[in-house]
């Protein structure tokens, strides 16, 4: 395959926190001419030593190039920066890699599209050191033509996956994956606290937790099928009645070890409610019904 020459490509990066810096630096290393702006100018100065062109305002940065990436703490900051710049933005492409909600993405997309801007919203499933590697998965949704036009540049940042025109979809995927991640962290933190309370080092337990979690992810495709079909007894090997009884031992062990059960109680309540409603023979996936209908579940 013919190597792409990036030396005639230009882009601006607005926001040079840990993530924006990684995005800008990766493109600079690949020969792209990157114009940068950050609210706190020191971060832009540091990157200019690596070849970035420093703009003195966000307006100047966006005006300099046909496409800009913006990556700030949140979408309130994004709106504060972009909305006063409608004249400068007209005819350009804006790629927003700030974490936000699907509704925020759709609102920003509506505003920008109304001002003749092509908009792509992105969700970064990576931490800064991963940027520039294939492990850095980045979801995009919004303008398909913008994705096609700038896919070479986006491909430098990681694995770029375009979803659909709905600009909120990248954020929806991002948020869903983050929710799954925080479930994992909650479990890890609870297990580590219990171990430490009993004199076992977290470092000793961690390789075992990793291989256990990896083994357990094998059940997820079956659970997903149960959720999609509504058949929660499909292929069940660990019924909820059994799991609810065993979960009580988890709670009891934490209590006698003097560690908090705050992270664990919501799941106990969900389990007990489902069992009381006659779902003891179902798989754990039946809990999704309680999540989907919280009003009913809280009765
Ligand atoms: N770091 C990660 O592991 C990671 C992973 C995936 C996604 N993300 C997402 O990437 C985005 C950036 O994260 P980060 O790690 O780079 O955060 P960060 O290091 O805390 O940097 C935040 C950036 O936002 C800027 N900013 C905040 N409020 C602003 C405002 N009102 N006006 C102008 N600039 C403002 C900051 O400018 P100053 O330098 O002037 O403060 C800085 O450039 C977030 O949405 C985050 O969720 C991060």
């Amino acid at each position: 395959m013919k190597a792409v020459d990036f030396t005639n490509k230009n882009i601006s990066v607005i926001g040079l926190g840990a993530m924006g810096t990684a995005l800008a630096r990766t493109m600079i290393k690949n020969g792209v001419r990157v114009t940068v702006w950050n609210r706190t100018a020191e971060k832009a100065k540091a990157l200019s030593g690596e070849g970035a062109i420093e703009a003195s305002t966000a307006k100047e940065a966006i005006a300099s190039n046909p496409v800009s990436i913006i990556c700030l703490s949140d979408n309130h900051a994004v709106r504060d920066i972009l909305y006063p710049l409608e004249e400068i933005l007209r005819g350009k492409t804006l790629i927003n890699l700030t974490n936000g909600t699907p509704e925020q993405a759709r609102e920003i997309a509506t505003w920008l599209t109304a001002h003749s801007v092509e908009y792509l919203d992105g969700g970064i499933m990576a931490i800064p050191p991963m940027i520039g590697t294939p492990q850095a998965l980045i979801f995009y949704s919004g303008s398909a033509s913008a994705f096609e036009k700038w896919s070479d540049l986006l491909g430098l940042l990681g694995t770029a996956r375009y979803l659909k025109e709905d600009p909120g979809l990248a954020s929806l995927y991002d948020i869903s994956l983050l929710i799954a991640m925080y479930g994992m962290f909650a479990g890890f933190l609870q297990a580590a606290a219990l171990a430490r309370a009993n004199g076992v080092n977290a470092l000793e337990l961690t390789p075992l937790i990793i291989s256990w979690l990896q083994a357990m992810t094998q059940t997820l495709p079956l659970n997903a099928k149960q959720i999609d079909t509504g058949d929660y007894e499909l292929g069940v090997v660990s019924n909820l009645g059994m799991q609810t009884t065993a979960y009580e031992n988890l709670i009891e062990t934490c209590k006698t070890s003097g560690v908090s059960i705050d992270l664990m109680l919501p799941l106990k309540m969900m389990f007990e409610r489902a069992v009381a409603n006659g779902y003891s023979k179902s798989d754990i996936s039946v809990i999704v019904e309680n999540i989907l209908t919280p009003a009913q579940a809280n009765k």
Side-chain angles (χ1 to χ4, degrees), residues 117-121 141-148 162 164-165 167:
V117 183
E118 285 207 286
Y119 181 70
L120 267 180
D121 199 88
S141 60
S143 166
S145 62
F147 182 77
E148 201 178 322
Y162 179 76
K164 284 186 181 159
E165 293 263 354

Side-chain angles (χ1 to χ4, degrees), residues 15-20 37-40 43 71-73 77 81 97-99 124 126-128:
L16 298 173
M19 186 53 84
W37 178 82
N38 190 64
R39 179 180 61 179
T40 308
K43 293 177 189 167
C71 187
L72 305 177
S73 301
I81 298 274
L97 297 183
T98 303
N99 178 273
I124 305 177
I127 55 174

Side-chain angles (χ1 to χ4, degrees), residues 11 13-30 32 34 36-38 43-44 46-47 50 52 69-72 97 124 126-133 136 138 153-158:
I11 195 166
V13 176
I14 311 293
L16 298 173
M19 186 53 84
T21 297
L23 300 170
R25 183 172 282 141
T26 299
M27 289 189 288
I28 293 166
K29 277 185 184 160
N30 281 281
V32 181
V34 183
V36 294
W37 178 82
N38 190 64
K43 293 177 189 167
L47 262 188
E50 298 177 32
I69 287 177
I70 190 161
C71 187
L72 305 177
L97 297 183
I124 305 177
I127 55 174
M130 290 163 67
I131 296 300
T133 73
I138 308 185
L153 281 176
L154 299 179
L156 292 175
L157 304 177

Side-chain angles (χ1 to χ4, degrees), residues 217-231:
T217 59
Q218 289 170 29
T219 71
L220 295 183
L222 173 62
N223 294 144
K225 198 167 178 186
Q226 293 163 342
I227 291 163
D228 287 346
T229 59
D231 180 359

Side-chain angles (χ1 to χ4, degrees), residues 4-240:
V4 180
D5 176 15
F6 287 102
T7 53
N8 59 356
K9 305 262 183 185
N10 305 292
I11 195 166
S12 295
V13 176
I14 311 293
L16 298 173
M19 186 53 84
T21 297
L23 300 170
R25 183 172 282 141
T26 299
M27 289 189 288
I28 293 166
K29 277 185 184 160
N30 281 281
V32 181
R33 284 167 52 86
V34 183
T35 301
V36 294
W37 178 82
N38 190 64
R39 179 180 61 179
T40 308
E42 284 74 36
K43 293 177 189 167
K45 288 206 183 347
L47 262 188
S48 66
E50 298 177 32
I53 302 153
E54 191 186 342
S56 51
T57 59
K59 183 178 177 182
E60 185 188 316
I62 290 170
S64 303
N65 289 313
V67 55
S68 295
I69 287 177
I70 190 161
C71 187
L72 305 177
S73 301
D74 59 42
N75 276 329
H76 301 294
V78 169
R79 284 188 289 237
D80 288 349
I81 298 274
L82 295 184
Y83 286 10
L85 302 180
E86 57 180 85
E87 287 311 317
I88 296 295
L89 280 160
R90 203 170 287 279
K92 296 187 184 288
T93 300
L94 199 286
I95 302 169
N96 183 12
L97 297 183
T98 303
N99 178 273
T101 68
E103 279 316 306
Q104 288 170 354
R106 290 181 189 120
E107 190 229 285
I108 292 170
T110 302
W111 189 89
L112 286 173
T113 308
H115 292 86
S116 308
V117 183
E118 285 207 286
Y119 181 70
L120 267 180
D121 199 88
I124 305 177
M125 308 319 302
I127 55 174
M130 290 163 67
I131 296 300
T133 73
Q135 285 71 40
L137 172 64
I138 308 185
F139 295 123
Y140 294 95
S141 60
S143 166
S145 62
F147 182 77
E148 201 178 322
K149 195 164 165 191
W150 302 109
S151 60
D152 281 351
L153 281 176
L154 299 179
L156 292 175
L157 304 177
T159 300
R161 182 171 304 177
Y162 179 76
L163 299 169
K164 284 186 181 159
E165 293 263 354
D166 171 4
L169 214 53
S171 167
L172 183 73
Y173 277 49
D174 181 1
I175 297 282
S176 301
L177 267 61
L178 289 177
I179 286 174
M181 177 192 80
Y182 280 114
M184 177 194 73
F185 280 135
F188 170 74
L189 297 173
Q190 184 74 32
L194 175 68
R196 198 168 90 181
N198 287 279
V200 177
N201 285 333
L203 261 181
E204 189 181 327
L205 207 64
T206 297
L208 304 170
I209 292 177
I210 291 171
S211 53
W212 173 239
L213 289 180
Q214 281 170 343
M216 283 300 95
T217 59
Q218 289 170 29
T219 71
L220 295 183
L222 173 62
N223 294 144
K225 198 167 178 186
Q226 293 163 342
I227 291 163
D228 287 346
T229 59
D231 180 359
Y232 298 106
E233 293 187 18
L234 179 73
V236 61
V237 290
S238 310
N239 70 65
L240 192 64

